[in-house]
Amino acid sequence: MDKNFKEEFTQIVKFEPPLYKQRYQFVKDLVEKYKPKKVADLGCADCTLLWMLKFCSCIEVLAGLDICENKMQEKMHTLSPLPVDYLQPSERSLTVTLHHGSVAHKDPCMLGFDLVTCIELIEHLEESDLKKFPEVVFGFMAPSIVVISTPNSEFNTLLPGVKLYRHPDHKFEWSQAQFQSWALETARCYDYSVEFTGVGHPPTGMEKIGFCTQIGVFLRKYPQAGESVQSEKPTEAVYKTVFKAVYPSLKDEKYLQNAVIREVIFTAEIIKHRFMSKREEYSDDPERKPTSQPSMDYFTDYLGKLVIEKNMEPFASGNEVYIPLTTIFAFPKVKRLCGTFEKLCKLIAGKVTLSSDGSAVMFNIEHENEED
Ligand code: SAM
């Protein structure tokens, strides 16, 4: 390449979206593809990737590890549940934990993960730690997938201002051949396959230079180790847990009960409202018969179908309106939350006003129209 062109070119190499976002997106895409339940991010720094991953609905356990406790603490509050998480608990469970420690040491809290990410980590490791790293990650943790990203030194000539390394804390930066040789040897040793890719495309015509960030995706070739094999691994804890958040989840009976009560009352209220509007219509014109015209309203149509097909009609007696629990249970959201009719009855018992035989939600409408 012409020297002048290269110099001019180095001024304009800029990635959009920025490279770090492309790396995080790469991990998110991998999570979408493989749907891991347990993900550990090694060298998690300020937890930005962990924060992005907490929105992936397949993930139930997220863990971060870093040797720098202060860095992790900068934004770790972003990993705590928000008020909305309590108002609308998710159907999945989610636990997020942060550990202070080194990837050169084994700790049992790192066992049982499906995916382990090491984004821009290895180039920060001292030679002695880099030597221990494969045994810790591939030998001890042994997840089904490992992702490792690291700078591609061949790209550096295109980056303005880079002299030796891209960052003063980098202990090395590898060419594509160096990274691939290390990765292939590691994969061979620990019975993984590895595929190479990257983010940050080289300019057209310079494809040989490779991606700005090179990535190896390692897949374990042998099946998941059973409990017995896991328990043979050393159990002495060496990491310090610095953060733990358990998100409210509908898998927890107390959140499920609140959600069911809210949904039952909400559904019953709407049914009651429709029922009373209809009653008023007929009392204005007693000759009119109920019509089966579609109402353009999903709820009313669904309710109409239930009433006609299954005889699950709400009814009034004196100042009371009764909405059968079977009608409420037939609504998809209530059914999905409770699973069975018996569970619905159990969860709302003593929490919602019911008819004396417990078969219907009861509303007293004596004062309902007083303000009209
Ligand atoms: N993975 C993050 C990302 O992509 O945004 C941050 C990468 S940062 C460049 C490297 C991180 O590795 C730093 O936060 C550093 O403290 C951490 N680190 C360095 N040596 C480590 C070790 N031996 N064990 C665990 N973390 C280490």
Side-chain angles (χ1 to χ4, degrees), residues 24 43-45 66-68 71 101-103 119-121 124-125 129:
Y24 295 161
C44 63
D66 205 286
I67 204 162
C68 181
K71 191 84 197 149
S102 169
V103 290
I119 305 303
E120 306 299 273
L121 164 70
H124 291 266
L125 302 180
D129 287 348

Side-chain angles (χ1 to χ4, degrees), residues 233-245:
K233 298 197 171 185
T235 50
E236 199 194 327
V238 289
Y239 297 162
K240 182 174 99 179
T241 302
V242 293
F243 174 90
K244 183 165 181 177

Side-chain angles (χ1 to χ4, degrees), residues 166-221:
R166 295 182 196 175
H167 190 278
D169 188 52
H170 287 180
K171 308 300 184 295
F172 60 88
E173 283 177 6
W174 280 336
S175 64
Q176 296 173 83
Q178 286 171 311
F179 176 53
Q180 292 182 13
S181 134
W182 175 86
L184 285 166
E185 178 55 14
T186 303
R188 190 193 60 75
C189 255
Y190 294 96
D191 205 10
Y192 280 67
S193 63
V194 56
E195 281 190 6
F196 299 101
T197 177
V199 292
H201 280 273
T204 315
M206 301 176 78
E207 285 76 13
K208 271 196 160 168
I209 275 188
F211 292 102
C212 188
T213 294
Q214 46 187 340
I215 299 177
V217 179
F218 300 74
L219 300 181
R220 198 186 56 215
K221 288 198 210 159

